[in-house]
Amino acid sequence: EEPWFKTLTVIYTKLTSPRPIYTIVHTHPAPSSLLPKSGWGYRILNVKPLEIARQMTLIDFEHYKSVQPSELLELSWTKAQKNITSPHVLLISSRFNSLVWWIVTQILSTELEEPGKGEEVLNRWVSVAKELYALNNFNGVQYILAAIYSSPLLRLRFVKKVIGA
């Protein structure tokens, strides 16, 4: 038996064998929701930073949990077949970009609609970043930092004041 054939057989066996299914067991009950009682008006200023951070962390966890080790090999997310070889890595990257621009848009649109309120929204996002840090969701912290240090926001005086620039 040729060595290359043996190697291919091992690779094929690993790829076609069922993956183990892991069950996550929680020892503590889920915390109670901190969402406002009314169903309307879930604006950033109406929801507690801890609840926003929790929800972001839960969504991030689902995305990271779905990444397969093979998606991280040989920079496969940069190759021509990236949609096939690394779909979950691309999803995480797309989510990152979408959230960054959503945060930027939220701060800018609030400032345009109600001058002076943009700083309040920015401070709320800073509070969310602190909660994300406490939850060890460092990717979530990066969403907010990338938004704050984006070109559109860095042009605003109140942003420079908040970040101390």
Side-chain angles (χ1 to χ4, degrees):
E1 191 172 303
E2 296 291 326
W4 61 268
F5 183 75
K6 188 175 181 180
T7 303
L8 282 177
T9 305
V10 169
I11 292 171
Y12 177 78
T13 304
K14 284 184 178 181
L15 289 174
T16 57
S17 62
R19 294 189 179 115
I21 297 173
Y22 298 101
T23 303
I24 298 171
V25 178
H26 299 282
T27 56
H28 302 290
S32 59
S33 175
L34 299 174
L35 288 173
K37 297 297 179 208
S38 74
W40 298 100
Y42 284 156
R43 295 183 59 193
I44 183 78
L45 297 175
N46 298 343
V47 182
K48 295 184 189 239
L50 177 58
E51 187 62 24
I52 295 167
R54 283 178 184 168
Q55 297 306 316
M56 288 174 72
T57 301
L58 288 171
I59 294 168
D60 285 347
F61 174 73
E62 289 300 319
H63 290 289
Y64 277 99
K65 183 175 77 169
S66 64
V67 174
Q68 298 300 314
S70 62
E71 294 183 54
L72 303 171
L73 298 175
E74 299 177 5
L75 298 173
S76 62
W77 62 91
T78 64
K79 306 288 194 265
Q81 297 291 318
K82 62 187 172 192
N83 291 329
I84 296 167
T85 59
S86 297
H88 301 102
V89 173
L90 293 176
L91 177 70
I92 290 169
S93 176
S94 174
R95 174 173 161 73
F96 184 92
N97 293 330
S98 296
L99 274 176
V100 166
W101 290 112
W102 177 64
I103 294 168
V104 169
T105 302
Q106 208 174 43
I107 294 168
L108 289 174
S109 63
T110 302
E111 184 64 23
L112 286 171
E113 290 169 12
E114 303 173 60
K117 278 276 204 192
E119 184 174 355
E120 194 176 338
V121 172
L122 174 63
N123 285 324
R124 179 56 58 101
W125 278 112
V126 169
S127 298
V128 171
K130 290 176 183 176
E131 295 294 347
L132 287 164
Y133 185 83
L135 292 171
N136 292 326
N137 183 346
F138 305 115
N139 194 52
V141 173
Q142 282 300 119
Y143 298 146
I144 296 168
L145 289 176
I148 291 171
Y149 285 92
S150 67
S151 182
L153 288 186
L154 278 179
R155 295 181 182 136
L156 302 173
R157 285 189 196 106
F158 70 85
V159 174
K160 292 178 183 175
K161 184 178 95 176
V162 168
I163 65 171

